[in-house]
Amino acid sequence: MFVGRCSVIVIVAAVAALQCSPTLAFSPELPTQRANNGVHRQRLQPLRSELPISNDELAVNGGTMAKVANGGATAEGGIKGIMKKFMRADFLLLSYFAFWYLGNYYYNLTNKIALKAAGGAAGFPALISTAQLGVGVLYSAFLWLAPDARKVPRLKLSDIVSMLPVGFCMAFAHGASVLALSAGTVSFGQIVKACEPAFAAVIGVSLYSKTVSTARWVALIPVILGVVIASVSELSFSWVALISACTANTFAAFKANENKRLMDTEGIRDRLGSVGNQFAVTTLLSFLISVPFALAKEGGRIGEFIELAKTNPVIMNNMLSSGLLFYLYNEMATLTIKKTGAVTASVANTAKRVIVIIGVAIALNEPLSTPKLVGSAICIAGVLLYSNADTLFPGKKAKAT
């Protein structure tokens, strides 16, 4: 009941944040990204003119604002006004981080609870993963139908065909992730999934004519080493969990490359209208692709699954919650990344994985042995190094994936 109430709180808060936030429109460059190029300086120039403070009331020396004798109260009010502006901006970004982290945490938690209640890997992971995508489809349809919520994309048939590879990869990446979660612990699945950059590097180089810098290849060594250490020390080791998580990494790497190729298609950005619409259409396609595979694998027991879900509220409530949370945290992650730079996003994603590994393990009483913690720390540190290798070692930079 506690998890269910917390999930509802997170869902409602995340929905409110999404509705209050600006549309996820495609934009060539963000103000925060232009700051590093010096363009952001122009924002500082009209600062004094915007405040109800005269020139003799403020002294600015080396970026430090001091209140002078005349009009001290007015200056103090101006400083408070500035602080309120900064607090509003920081709070918005912090709320994005909070909902992204909480959404991902509760998604893994509710997903694991639903899978465990339904019988684990021997239960209905394919039907549950498909149902989760279906919840995302219903939420997307709600946004398209609700007044002034989100514009319906104006896609051509050729656009939908172009998006099929991305939808296919998303369907199998999500399905394999859910299967890994059903067969093993959340922490072990997260550790293996942290190895995704290695899969992305190999697939990008071998199939998409990309090159990876030497620094990034070297950074993959601790990533793989950490996974090996964590796997050896895993008390409830499962080959199904390991292979499924690796399969999810493979399809996720293909999805990233296919998505980049899709966005290079002329005019498709305008017809989609926003990143939110792109994710919504991809979710719809992945759901339609998942249905026949789920029926082929577990369709013979679908009556048993429906009856189990109807009689066991733990399965139904957590399945629906995890489906909505999966959709929302992915959109919230997109919002967060669009408001930050690449380095901040990589650090944030790494920190998120640490929080999920430790938090869910504590909540579900999963074992966290010392070797497993050491392995996960090495792996995650390697991922962080990989994400920033070309920044730390620019002399060895190549056209990285």
Side-chain angles (χ1 to χ4, degrees):
M1 292 296 294
F2 174 74
V3 173
R5 289 196 296 270
C6 290
S7 300
V8 171
I9 293 172
V10 173
I11 290 171
V12 172
V15 170
L18 279 174
Q19 298 306 315
C20 295
S21 63
T23 304
L24 285 174
F26 295 106
S27 58
E29 194 175 20
L30 297 174
T32 51
Q33 294 170 334
R34 295 196 302 266
N36 293 332
N37 297 326
V39 181
H40 216 49
R41 295 175 184 171
Q42 60 185 356
R43 287 186 157 193
L44 300 177
Q45 294 174 357
L47 183 60
R48 288 202 300 176
S49 61
E50 294 176 2
L51 300 175
I53 310 170
S54 59
N55 292 332
D56 62 342
E57 289 176 319
L58 291 178
V60 180
N61 185 12
T64 302
M65 186 175 295
K67 184 172 64 175
V68 295
N70 295 329
T74 309
E76 185 178 357
I79 295 173
K80 288 182 178 179
I82 297 173
M83 293 301 296
K84 287 181 180 179
K85 289 182 181 180
F86 281 112
M87 286 298 291
R88 273 201 302 269
D90 289 344
F91 178 76
L92 182 62
L93 182 57
L94 286 174
S95 67
Y96 288 167
F97 275 113
F99 290 133
W100 175 21
Y101 282 24
L102 285 173
N104 189 273
Y105 169 79
Y106 279 109
Y107 160 72
N108 281 278
L109 187 60
T110 55
N111 196 5
K112 181 63 177 179
I113 292 173
L115 290 166
K116 188 175 181 179
F124 306 92
L127 288 173
I128 289 177
S129 66
T130 302
Q132 289 168 343
L133 294 173
V135 173
V137 172
L138 292 176
Y139 178 71
S140 303
F142 166 75
L143 290 182
W144 286 329
L145 295 174
D148 301 323
R150 179 176 291 169
K151 292 183 178 180
V152 178
R154 306 296 181 184
L155 295 175
K156 301 185 295 186
L157 180 60
S158 59
D159 295 331
I160 297 176
V161 173
S162 299
M163 296 184 72
L164 283 175
V166 181
F168 182 86
C169 292
M170 177 178 174
F172 279 88
H174 178 64
S177 295
V178 173
L179 179 57
L181 197 63
S182 69
T185 61
V186 175
S187 56
F188 179 69
Q190 288 289 320
I191 293 169
V192 178
K193 287 178 68 178
C195 201
E196 184 182 324
F199 290 80
V202 173
I203 290 173
V205 168
S206 58
L207 298 177
Y208 290 90
S209 301
K210 292 186 176 181
T211 56
V212 177
S213 63
T214 303
R216 284 195 164 188
W217 283 119
V218 173
L220 289 177
I221 296 176
V223 175
I224 298 172
L225 178 63
V227 172
V228 171
I229 294 174
S231 300
V232 171
S233 62
E234 176 66 15
L235 299 178
S236 55
F237 177 80
S238 168
W239 281 106
V240 175
L242 177 62
I243 294 173
S244 298
C246 290
T247 302
N249 285 342
T250 301
F251 279 105
F254 274 112
K255 176 178 174 287
N257 285 284
E258 288 298 328
N259 194 61
K260 186 178 185 302
R261 177 185 291 180
L262 173 68
M263 287 298 100
D264 291 336
T265 303
E266 184 178 358
I268 196 168
R269 290 174 180 265
D270 297 330
R271 292 189 289 274
L272 281 169
S274 67
V275 177
N277 274 343
Q278 179 192 352
F279 184 70
V281 175
T282 302
T283 301
L284 172 60
L285 293 175
S286 63
F287 169 71
L288 296 176
I289 292 169
S290 296
V291 169
F293 286 96
L295 293 177
K297 184 176 182 297
E298 299 166 1
R301 298 187 293 150
I302 191 169
E304 178 187 350
F305 171 71
I306 293 174
E307 186 62 27
L308 189 63
K310 287 167 57 178
T311 57
N312 190 344
V314 174
I315 297 175
M316 179 64 75
N317 293 341
N318 285 283
M319 180 176 67
L320 295 177
S321 297
S322 60
L324 185 54
L325 286 165
F326 175 76
Y327 187 95
L328 290 175
Y329 94 73
N330 274 287
E331 281 210 358
M332 196 58 64
T334 306
L335 270 171
T336 307
I337 292 171
K338 283 178 70 67
K339 285 184 67 67
T340 61
V343 175
T344 303
S346 67
V347 174
N349 196 46
T350 302
K352 177 214 70 178
R353 202 172 294 279
V354 174
I355 292 172
V356 170
I357 289 174
I358 298 176
V360 175
I362 294 173
L364 297 178
N365 198 27
E366 293 182 351
L368 281 176
S369 62
T370 300
K372 186 175 182 179
L373 288 173
V374 171
S376 62
I378 294 174
C379 176
I380 291 173
V383 172
L384 185 60
L385 180 61
Y386 177 89
S387 301
N388 301 285
D390 290 337
T391 302
L392 296 172
F393 308 102
K396 299 181 181 298
K397 187 175 180 180
K399 184 184 176 184
T401 58

